[in-house]
Amino acid sequence: MTDVTATDAPATADAATDSLTVRDNRTGQSYDIAITDNTIKAADLGQIRLDEGPGLATYDPGFVNTASCRSSVTFIDGEEGILEYRGYPIEQLAEKSNFLEVAYLLIHGALPSKAEYDAWVHEITYHTFVHENVKSFTEGFRYDAHPMGMLMASTGALSTFYPDARNINDVENRHLQIVRMIAKMPTLGAWSFRHTQGKPFVYPDNDLSYTANFLSMLFKMSEQRFEADERLVKALDVLFILHADHEQNASTNAVRSVGSTQVDPYSAVSAGVGALFGPLHGGANEAVLRMLRRIGTTSEIPAFIEGVKDGNEKLMGFGHRVYKNYDPRARIIKKAAEDVFEVTGTNPLLDIALELEKIALEDEYFIKRKLYPNVDFYSGLIYEAFQFPPEMFTVLFAIGRTPGWLAQWLELVQDKEQKIARPKQIYTGDRTLDFVPASERWA
Ligand code: SDX
């Protein structure tokens, strides 16, 4: 039932306050459309039509001004630079929590008790192994395959090892798949990395914390146990927290869109990995590092900025659909960088990044477009300090974002308002052409 009343009477000023009165000048008819949560239902526009023609629809490429769902997972205020997971400010979570506790918060909607936390960590720890066949097909990729391509494929492939994941309406089953995916993404990411390095795969070490185990699977060689510097473990754990969710970004939208067909969560998250791979989204952290290397020295920054203004370059790591102020995550990452560089020594590209940010923030071109550093601008500098190659940066983003994708997927499958994602289009092609068979066309 829609909230639209088509009235012949002229719109009156005393229409319900939470409504919009629109007049269709083609027919002279006015309509009162309900406003709820500062939105109108696009479906309500369908009543506005000419005679028997189709009703009105909305046109919104990139969904710049369209809400696709109700969600209580993440809140962002782009003007104020606010980011909260389940109501908790990101600054407090980054400083006082850890990634698995934040993952619990995102998935369950509340912070865990000690017993709940211990059970959660135990479950995740003992699901880090993957089927041995994963090793075989990971070894099947080319030596120079991009780790994000391998992660997208191996995440989707997990759906073939766990066919019961298709039973998405079973609460226990959903929980088991969520635990498996959060637990196994570091293993899949680490094994993709080891494959590109031509090194043997390292199995999970269940005596290590989640993030320390990930570093072990990445960098362990012949030593009995890989001992990561605790400051680096902490910095990476903070980065995972900062990447854990971000409301309806492109990759989450992909997870929700694919998930809306009621496919298993591995297939839905695999679509999210694919979306994140793009340089306008999670792939930006890799693109930032390549951009800084290409600029090379601070003296080359003015020429590069001119290239951006001429439209020949994009200032990767800058700009955001929602943040029209500093991305709060970028501020925290910039601080985490200092902690990492204490251990690894500073990254010479940091000077270029700091000077680039300084110049951009003072330049009218960027100020007018409200372009500020986003989460990807500084994160790559930290990852490089960890000795990660740029191709691995987005894999790190994906591992952090997995609990967020799954929290959003969980919300989707329980949301009675949700339907299969199938937008309309504005058709611009030909109509009713008479087909001429090839034999005649080519005669
Ligand atoms: C992430 O959505 C999320 O939440 C994503 C994310 C998450 O956690 O999931 O936050 C992670 O993806 C961060 C963004 C990483 N991407 C980049 O750093 C790539 C560079 N940035 C852009 O391509 C761009 O800013 C986007 C894609 C991030 C946002 O694009 P929008 O919102 O569609 O904005 P737009 O492209 O319409 O830009 C508005 C104007 C345009 O200029 P005009 O045409 O009006 O003259 O700003 C310009 C753009 O050309 N512009 C840039 C720019 N970003 C926008 N110009 C130069 N350099 C840039 N980086």
Side-chain angles (χ1 to χ4, degrees):
M1 185 56 191
T2 61
D3 302 319
V4 175
T5 48
T7 60
D8 292 325
T12 55
D14 60 358
T17 47
D18 286 343
S19 72
L20 201 61
T21 299
V22 289
R23 173 186 166 82
D24 184 344
N25 293 320
R26 302 170 299 178
T27 61
Q29 276 209 319
S30 291
Y31 301 82
D32 289 339
I33 298 177
I35 296 173
T36 47
D37 303 313
N38 200 35
T39 62
I40 60 167
K41 286 195 186 122
D44 287 352
L45 298 173
Q47 304 292 316
I48 304 173
R49 64 179 71 240
L50 287 174
D51 303 329
E52 290 316 306
L56 284 190
T58 58
Y59 177 55
D60 188 9
F63 313 125
V64 173
N65 192 34
T66 294
S68 62
C69 64
R70 294 174 185 281
S71 178
S72 60
V73 179
T74 291
F75 174 78
I76 300 175
D77 179 327
E79 291 302 327
E80 300 302 317
I82 292 171
L83 169 57
E84 296 171 352
Y85 294 158
R86 300 286 189 186
Y88 293 94
I90 190 69
E91 294 80 4
Q92 294 185 31
L93 293 172
E95 186 190 337
K96 300 173 182 169
S97 185
N98 66 61
F99 178 61
L100 283 190
E101 185 177 50
V102 167
Y104 184 98
L105 172 65
L106 288 169
I107 296 290
H108 295 87
L111 288 170
S113 65
K114 183 176 184 332
E116 288 165 337
Y117 177 73
D118 291 345
W120 175 249
V121 171
H122 178 84
E123 274 195 294
I124 301 272
T125 302
Y126 286 88
H127 279 90
T128 48
F129 275 72
V130 292
H131 192 289
E132 274 296 282
N133 286 9
V134 172
K135 225 170 102 180
S136 326
F137 71 66
T138 302
E139 285 163 343
F141 287 106
R142 270 177 57 105
Y143 72 94
D144 60 352
H146 195 294
M148 276 299 279
M150 289 193 263
L151 185 65
M152 178 169 44
S154 48
T155 305
L158 287 186
S159 66
T160 67
F161 293 95
Y162 306 112
D164 53 342
R166 289 201 286 271
N167 185 3
I168 63 170
N169 295 314
D170 178 287
V171 175
E172 290 310 312
N173 182 51
R174 287 200 298 251
H175 174 80
L176 174 58
Q177 310 311 336
I178 285 170
V179 164
R180 279 174 169 157
M181 222 177 308
I182 293 172
K184 296 176 196 306
M185 285 302 252
T187 311
L188 300 178
W191 285 13
S192 300
F193 173 66
R194 297 288 285 202
H195 175 68
T196 63
Q197 300 266 309
K199 292 173 182 166
F201 295 161
V202 176
Y203 286 94
D205 179 342
N206 290 343
D207 292 333
L208 295 175
S209 71
Y210 183 85
T211 304
N213 173 49
F214 176 53
L215 289 171
S216 166
M217 293 189 287
L218 288 161
F219 300 120
K220 183 176 180 296
M221 292 307 288
S222 58
E223 65 272 46
Q224 273 305 308
R225 164 160 291 163
F226 179 81
E227 300 290 347
D229 184 305
E230 269 310 309
R231 291 167 295 180
L232 296 181
V233 176
K234 173 66 180 163
L236 188 53
D237 203 72
V238 168
L239 283 162
F240 283 156
I241 291 172
L242 296 174
H243 287 83
D245 193 57
H246 213 241
E247 58 152 79
Q248 304 312 314
N249 58 85
S251 54
T252 296
N253 182 57
V255 170
R256 280 180 169 264
S257 177
V258 170
S260 75
T261 68
Q262 299 191 352
V263 75
D264 67 274
Y266 299 100
S267 303
V269 168
S270 171
V273 175
L276 191 74
F277 195 179
L280 294 189
H281 190 13
N285 53 23
E286 175 181 347
V288 167
L289 203 91
R290 297 190 191 289
M291 173 186 74
L292 294 174
R293 285 180 178 169
R294 201 154 45 86
I295 293 171
T297 63
T298 49
S299 59
E300 289 302 316
I301 291 175
F304 178 81
I305 293 282
E306 283 315 304
V308 172
K309 293 177 181 176
D310 296 342
N312 303 324
E313 298 278 2
K314 250 194 198 300
L315 183 48
M316 302 310 279
F318 264 66
H320 200 279
R321 175 64 58 78
V322 179
Y323 292 123
K324 299 310 171 191
N325 202 317
Y326 214 96
D327 183 333
R329 300 167 297 175
R331 193 174 285 118
I332 300 169
I333 289 175
K334 206 169 159 182
K335 166 73 180 62
E338 290 157 16
D339 302 340
V340 168
F341 294 150
E342 262 176 34
V343 179
T344 64
T346 189
N347 185 330
L349 295 177
L350 177 64
D351 298 337
I352 300 175
L354 291 169
E355 182 62 14
L356 192 53
E357 175 186 359
K358 181 174 168 299
I359 293 175
L361 294 187
E362 292 162 358
D363 187 303
E364 189 47 36
Y365 178 91
F366 300 95
I367 294 168
K368 190 176 103 183
R369 290 167 176 79
K370 298 188 175 185
L371 300 179
Y372 293 90
N374 58 49
V375 67
D376 291 310
F377 188 61
Y378 285 106
S379 53
L381 292 172
I382 296 183
Y383 297 148
E384 192 187 49
F386 273 85
Q387 308 295 318
F388 287 115
E391 301 77 37
M392 272 299 285
F393 293 1
T394 313
V395 169
L396 303 171
F397 192 143
I399 292 168
R401 184 53 54 90
T402 296
W405 283 332
L406 289 167
Q408 299 275 350
W409 171 78
L410 201 50
E411 219 173 40
L412 162 84
V413 295
Q414 299 175 89
D415 184 341
K416 299 279 178 283
E417 279 193 339
Q418 288 299 324
K419 304 168 72 73
I420 189 167
R422 203 272 182 232
K424 286 178 173 286
Q425 65 172 15
I426 296 172
Y427 181 65
T428 58
D430 293 326
R431 292 291 320 281
T432 59
L433 298 176
D434 290 324
F435 179 73
V436 178
S439 55
E440 292 174 34
R441 291 202 315 275
W442 300 336

